[in-house]
Amino acid sequence: MASQEQVIEALRKINYPGYSRDIVSFGLVRDITVKNGEVEVLLEITTAQETIPGQIKDAVEKAVLSLEDVTECNVVVSVKSAPEAGTGGADQSAPTPPDQLEGVKHIIAVASGKGGVGKSTFVSNLASAVAMLLKKQGLKGERVGIMDCDIFGPSIPMMMGANGRPNVSDNMIHPMVAHGVKIMSMGFLVDDEQAVIWRGPMVMKAIQQFAHNVEWGELDYMFIDLPPGTGDAQISLTQTLPLDGALIVTTPQAAAYTVARRGAGLFEKVDVDILGVAENMSYLQAADGSKQFIFGSGGGQKVADALDTELLGQIPLDPFVREGGDRGIPQVVADPKGLAGQTFISIAEKIIEAVEID
Ligand code: ADP
């Protein structure tokens, strides 16, 4: 006899139309009852697209009826209409409708267990590298975005060299553009001192506005710079945004391991795939090519092993990486052939490959 768990497992195999993420992890399944081979599934979908509820309903019926001993399946879909862009009135308790970021193909969160490991440096270099690679493939225009959700210490504007205030028209904010990347950050809107007094609900509201009231246009990749840590704010964020996967940034020392592991636990909880681990500040390379492991070694590999994922690369400790960040020119742009630049580019290639195959 089919159990509730078996029904959930079957539903986990159904992806939201157009996404590589399933309907269970998106939080669309509200209730399942199983009685004498009769299954009832209650779904709640927030969408403005008329065809989506029917598509999901059909897929759910098919999946459930294929389970052993299921004789009947009744699927009830409750559809909430998506809030109009510009109202900013998203229901905070409901999962954000995934189809609201319609033009964005892949959304990847970048997280770290704690601050100072180079997460924002990584995001700015990675996004610039992906933009360069897509341009090389002949794709025109800006196809990559960064949504800087590190509300309390937004360093992306400085690291990308994007300054000033974004334009607003028809209630939509136009992202700033630098190094071929569209950028939105709280750093454009408030001063540093103001951001510190922000509270959870305000942060959530801001992020929802970043998702829905910013004119992102058509993007192949959007990278989300998450606030460091593993608290409620990060959990809500990962539920608000329709993520394809997550990257973990860590440093090599042993202490970083536990922290990064905790950060990854966050994504396991919300059922988001971990695409890989990037180890930053791995070593200092001397002129003769010898490496000095200032912060120890092995942390990144250990985190990757524990998460059953890949160590995507080891970024050297390089004063030019820091200087580039301070000057607003990511190292992949300043010196794409150098060791750090090459490492970022190779990680970017691996991520593109991982996401495209999925
Ligand atoms: P986080 O976003 O994790 O808080 P940042 O990206 O702000 O970390 O990096 C913290 C500091 O370390 C910054 O000054 C940055 O320039 C520097 N940094 C990051 N990665 C490297 C690196 N590989 N080599 C040298 N300095 C780095």
Side-chain angles (χ1 to χ4, degrees):
M1 196 57 77
S3 66
Q4 201 179 32
E5 284 71 39
Q6 282 171 308
V7 174
I8 293 178
E9 276 319 302
L11 301 187
R12 275 189 203 282
K13 298 200 179 85
I14 302 173
N15 284 347
Y16 193 96
Y19 281 82
S20 55
R21 198 167 155 198
D22 69 275
I23 58 169
V24 176
S25 74
F26 266 137
L28 307 186
V29 179
R30 288 305 165 99
D31 197 21
I32 296 172
T33 40
V34 183
K35 217 164 124 190
N36 303 329
E38 292 172 20
V39 178
E40 188 170 296
V41 181
L42 179 63
L43 301 166
E44 192 173 286
I45 304 174
T46 309
T47 179
Q49 289 183 20
E50 282 168 18
T51 52
I52 299 264
Q55 270 175 277
I56 295 180
K57 185 171 190 268
D58 290 349
V60 170
E61 274 171 359
K62 204 168 150 211
V64 174
L65 286 171
S66 71
L67 292 172
E68 212 175 322
D69 298 326
V70 171
T71 51
E72 211 180 304
C73 175
N74 185 18
V75 183
V76 180
V77 185
S78 126
V79 182
K80 288 171 135 191
S81 59
E84 295 283 320
T87 60
D91 174 358
Q92 304 229 352
S93 62
T96 300
D99 54 355
Q100 278 211 336
L101 279 169
E102 242 166 67
V104 184
K105 277 197 201 146
H106 302 294
I107 306 183
I108 298 167
V110 182
S112 64
K114 61 170 188 143
V117 300
K119 175 175 51 63
S120 299
T121 304
F122 178 73
V123 170
S124 45
N125 276 282
L126 177 66
S128 305
V130 172
M132 283 161 63
L133 290 169
L134 296 184
K135 203 150 267 173
K136 248 191 211 160
Q137 287 175 13
L139 294 170
K140 299 223 159 47
E142 290 88 27
R143 315 284 314 170
V144 180
I146 298 179
M147 195 198 283
D148 180 10
C149 295
D150 197 342
I151 303 283
F152 302 102
S155 39
I156 293 291
M158 178 190 75
M159 290 183 174
M160 292 296 285
N163 304 306
R165 304 255 180 233
N167 290 326
V168 179
S169 60
D170 293 334
N171 246 331
M172 293 297 277
I173 304 172
H174 296 265
M176 307 285 272
V177 177
H179 308 296
V181 178
K182 288 184 180 170
I183 306 160
M184 187 58 214
S185 168
M186 196 47 75
F188 298 141
L189 307 179
V190 297
D191 300 326
D192 284 359
E193 303 78 49
Q194 270 178 299
V196 187
I197 57 164
W198 282 50
R199 295 284 174 269
M202 287 168 81
V203 174
M204 284 306 295
K205 191 97 190 156
I207 301 309
Q208 283 175 341
Q209 300 245 337
F210 280 9
H212 309 310
N213 294 48
V214 173
E215 195 72 67
W216 290 107
E218 300 275 318
L219 296 184
D220 287 325
Y221 291 90
M222 178 188 277
F223 294 101
I224 313 280
D225 190 351
L226 284 181
T230 53
D232 287 347
Q234 287 79 3
I235 293 187
S236 325
L237 258 175
T238 50
Q239 283 169 333
T240 305
L241 301 164
L243 301 180
D244 283 84
L247 298 167
I248 310 291
V249 183
T250 185
T251 46
Q253 62 264 59
Y257 165 72
T258 337
V259 187
R261 179 73 192 77
R262 218 183 299 143
L266 166 79
F267 294 106
E268 280 167 5
K269 231 182 263 173
V270 291
D271 212 4
V272 171
D273 280 350
I274 309 271
L275 299 172
V277 173
E279 188 186 80
N280 189 27
M281 310 191 193
S282 297
Y283 58 88
L284 190 66
Q285 183 155 290
D288 65 2
S290 63
K291 292 176 181 175
Q292 249 186 306
F293 297 89
I294 312 257
F295 295 124
S297 64
Q301 188 62 56
K302 214 169 143 193
V303 176
D305 290 347
L307 300 173
D308 205 12
T309 188
E310 201 190 334
L311 177 62
L312 298 167
Q314 293 173 295
I315 304 144
L317 193 61
D318 178 347
F320 288 112
V321 169
R322 188 195 53 75
E323 266 171 44
D326 292 348
R327 284 192 302 142
I329 305 175
Q331 190 64 0
V332 287
V333 176
D335 184 14
K337 295 216 156 62
L339 182 60
Q342 281 292 305
T343 313
F344 282 123
I345 291 170
S346 128
I347 294 174
E349 284 168 341
K350 286 184 188 167
I351 290 166
I352 291 178
E353 199 180 322
V355 172
E356 298 291 339
I357 288 172
D358 198 29

